[in-house]
Amino acid sequence: MQISIIKAILTGFFFCLATATASHAADEADAMKLLEDSKCLKCHSVDKKKDGPAYKEVAAKYKGKAEAEEKLSKHVTVPSKVKVDGEEEEHGSVKTRDADRIRNLVQWILSR
Ligand code: HEC
């Protein structure tokens, strides 16, 4: 009898722990899917410089900067021009308007 109560409490405790962790860590699968669907990986990779900086570099550049999330959210949603090999190219935008998915992607980039 007592053991089942302890079990129930422990199960509840670990369930809360698991969901709490999941809601804080950025969803990697969704971030990668959005990058693929939006063709970002044509110019970016996580840890190697391509035409654009590696996301690890971006994360390092913005580490500890309070405005990072806001700035990058704009950068990935508002079309802009970037220089690739001296030529101006359209910087891609994410193919979604879902604010949660955009926030997730930006947090994921910043936590590389
Ligand atoms: C045509 C190639 C190209 C594509 C496509 C592209 N990028 Fe970029 N991206 C660049 C270049 C080049 C830079 C560096 C621009 C600069 O620092 O002025 C950059 C910079 C960035 C940065 C850092 C911005 C900063 O303020 O330091 C982020 C984040 C980023 N890109 C995310 C994305 C995402 C997300 C997508 C897909 C929606 C994407 N990029 C698509 C070329 C590209």
Side-chain angles (χ1 to χ4, degrees):
M1 175 61 192
Q2 263 178 343
I3 289 185
S4 64
I5 291 173
I6 292 170
K7 257 196 191 158
I9 292 171
L10 278 182
T11 311
F13 174 72
F14 283 114
F15 182 74
C16 291
L17 203 66
T19 45
T21 319
S23 64
H24 283 290
D27 182 340
E28 171 147 2
D30 193 60
M32 282 310 277
K33 183 166 179 353
L34 190 50
L35 289 177
E36 266 166 35
D37 291 350
S38 313
K39 313 242 181 312
C40 312
L41 302 176
K42 181 166 95 80
C43 299
H44 292 281
S45 100
V46 173
D47 51 12
K48 283 189 201 70
K49 185 169 168 34
K50 292 171 81 177
D51 288 336
Y55 289 138
K56 275 197 175 155
E57 257 175 67
V58 178
K61 173 177 156 192
Y62 283 101
K63 200 172 165 62
K65 299 217 168 102
E67 77 285 5
E69 224 177 290
E70 197 198 324
K71 225 184 139 212
L72 291 193
S73 304
K74 266 210 193 105
H75 184 79
V76 302
T77 49
V78 181
S80 61
K81 301 268 189 205
V82 289
K83 283 231 160 62
V84 175
D85 295 332
E87 306 256 325
E88 280 209 328
E89 264 196 58
E90 204 61 52
H91 188 267
S93 304
V94 287
K95 300 276 176 278
T96 180
R97 286 168 183 246
D98 183 334
D100 285 339
R101 292 193 71 198
I102 295 166
R103 191 177 324 115
N104 178 63
L105 174 65
V106 168
Q107 285 175 353
W108 179 83
I109 291 174
L110 288 172
S111 58
R112 287 315 83 202

